[in-house]
């Protein structure tokens, strides 16, 4: 009788980490900062995800398949932070809808569906579930029926418990992430400082003293490639900002403040949108990208009565 190769089986073992962001953020915000709403704090999500990955690596056998990051956004239009998170390796962002009352809709259903599908298709042998709702129990039971172990992680509560008792019962293992583990990634949001309303400066005043690097003359016989004009590029930057304010909402654009440095993902989106408006590439013209950002920030700062900003070169 042949002896089964258990080594090969163990090497093929994989696990996934499923994170209910609404639960994780709300529970951490409460225990760390006494906060009731997400707008009261800022989260270094990329660093937090890396820490969760490392924590799982030290405790769960096998190889990480991916992290599933379940969050919500109005009309499922991702926020700035969500767009940045979606670019991270081994991370899959799943978005439910955020209604006018700030309630998440459809998030639990996505978690249950993915947990069951991963188990049914034998994609994983273990799952880490960071959640607290009793609605997760049927999916946990279904995954276990397919032979998957479910490891429930929770956030240290300020008192009592913040996870459904039955969810704790049904999980194979339970671990609480302490306040010290989460504290480096949560900070209270800065309180906006009122800015005196002053007359909007003229373009001449705004850009007084700004110099443009001279363009070297082309050798004799070589045709100089002319770049786009500064006023037109700034106008396009303002147009993109206006479109984003309308489509993504003021709250999402407010996340970019105080500026003037844009996250790389958003800066790239700004460039792509501008090139669509212009009908040609701006990549050969570094100075044009600075003008583009200046136009973008000028419109954003006017929207929030913050004056006119200058981009970081």
């Amino acid at each position: 009788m042949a002896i089964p190769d258990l080594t090969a089986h163990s090497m093929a073992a994989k696990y996934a980490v499923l994170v209910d962001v609404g639960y994780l953020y709300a529970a951490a915000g409460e225990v760390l900062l006494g906060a009731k709403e997400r707008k009261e704090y800022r989260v270094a999500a990329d660093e937090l995800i890396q820490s969760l990955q490392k924590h799982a690596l030290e405790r769960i056998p096998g190889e990480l398949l991916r992290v599933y990051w379940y969050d919500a956004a109005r009309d499922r239009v991702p926020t700035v932070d969500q767009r940045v998170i979606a670019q991270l390796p081994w991370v899959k962002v799943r978005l439910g809808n955020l209604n006018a009352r700030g309630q998440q809709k459809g998030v639990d259903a996505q978690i249950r569906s993915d947990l069951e599908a991963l188990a049914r298709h034998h994609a994983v042998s273990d799952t880490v579930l960071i959640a607290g709702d009793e609605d997760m129990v049927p999916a946990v039971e279904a995954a276990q029926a397919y032979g998957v172990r479910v490891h429930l992680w929770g956030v240290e509560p300020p008192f009592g418990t913040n996870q459904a008792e039955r969810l704790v019962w049904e999980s194979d293992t339970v671990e609480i992430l302490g306040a010290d583990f989460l504290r480096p990634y949560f900070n209270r949001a800065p309180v906006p400082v009122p800015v005196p309303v002053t007359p909007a400066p003229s373009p001449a005043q705004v850009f007084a003293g700004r110099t443009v690097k001279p363009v070297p003359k082309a050798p004799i016989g070589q045709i100089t490639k002319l770049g786009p004009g500064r006023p037109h590029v700034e106008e396009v930057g303002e147009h993109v900002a206006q479109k984003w304010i309308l489509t993504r909402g003021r709250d999402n654009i407010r996340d970019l403040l105080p500026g003037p440095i844009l996250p790389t993902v958003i800066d790239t989106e700004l460039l792509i949108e501008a090139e669509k408006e212009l009908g040609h590439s701006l990549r050969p013209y570094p100075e044009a990208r600075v003008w583009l950002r200046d136009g973008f920030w000028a419109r954003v700062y006017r929207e929030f009565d913050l004056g006119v900003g200058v981009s970081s070169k």
Side-chain angles (χ1 to χ4, degrees), residues 5-225:
D5 186 355
L6 298 179
T7 303
H9 176 75
S10 63
M11 289 178 62
K14 287 185 170 62
Y15 64 88
V17 180
L18 284 65
V19 183
D20 181 346
V21 179
Y23 163 76
L24 174 61
Y25 280 15
E30 182 180 15
V31 71
L32 295 174
L33 305 168
K36 299 298 182 183
E37 298 183 33
R38 192 183 292 195
K39 65 182 180 181
E40 298 178 49
Y41 50 86
R42 294 287 182 265
V43 184
D46 54 343
E47 297 177 15
L48 174 58
I49 290 172
Q50 291 175 11
S51 184
L52 291 172
Q53 289 174 334
K54 180 180 178 182
H55 199 67
L57 179 64
E58 295 170 349
R59 285 159 176 76
I60 310 300
E63 174 188 353
L64 174 66
L65 176 66
R66 66 180 59 89
V67 174
Y68 291 84
W69 193 255
Y70 301 92
D71 206 354
R74 294 193 185 281
D75 300 320
R76 290 187 168 86
V77 177
T79 65
V80 171
D81 287 343
Q82 289 163 347
R83 289 172 181 269
V84 172
I85 294 167
Q87 299 290 323
L88 298 175
W90 317 118
V91 177
K92 174 74 71 175
V93 172
R94 300 270 205 222
L95 292 180
N97 191 39
L98 193 67
N99 66 19
R101 297 181 180 180
Q103 299 169 322
Q104 295 186 357
K105 298 297 180 181
V107 174
D108 286 355
Q110 288 183 326
I111 299 175
R112 293 195 301 267
S113 176
D114 284 344
L115 180 53
E116 292 184 29
L118 288 169
R120 184 172 63 253
H121 294 292
H122 306 290
V124 295
S125 58
D126 296 78
T127 57
V128 172
L129 176 63
I130 302 179
D133 290 346
E134 188 170 344
D135 289 349
M136 296 294 108
V137 170
V140 169
E141 293 176 329
Q144 290 169 331
Y146 286 107
V148 171
R149 292 179 292 263
V150 178
H151 308 275
L152 181 67
W153 290 3
V155 174
E156 175 186 339
F159 57 88
T161 181
N162 53 28
Q163 290 178 296
E165 188 176 40
R166 190 169 168 223
L167 179 61
V168 173
W169 290 350
E170 298 299 338
S171 301
D172 292 294
T173 68
V174 178
E175 180 176 347
I176 297 299
L177 302 175
D180 290 341
F181 177 88
L182 297 165
R183 185 169 288 109
Y185 315 110
F186 287 78
N187 292 286
R188 192 172 296 280
V191 178
V193 177
V195 178
V197 178
T198 56
S202 67
Q205 292 171 324
V206 172
F207 300 106
R210 298 275 305 275
T211 59
V212 179
K213 296 179 181 178
V215 179
K217 294 183 179 180
I220 298 175
Q222 180 177 335
I223 299 176
T224 303
K225 187 176 182 180

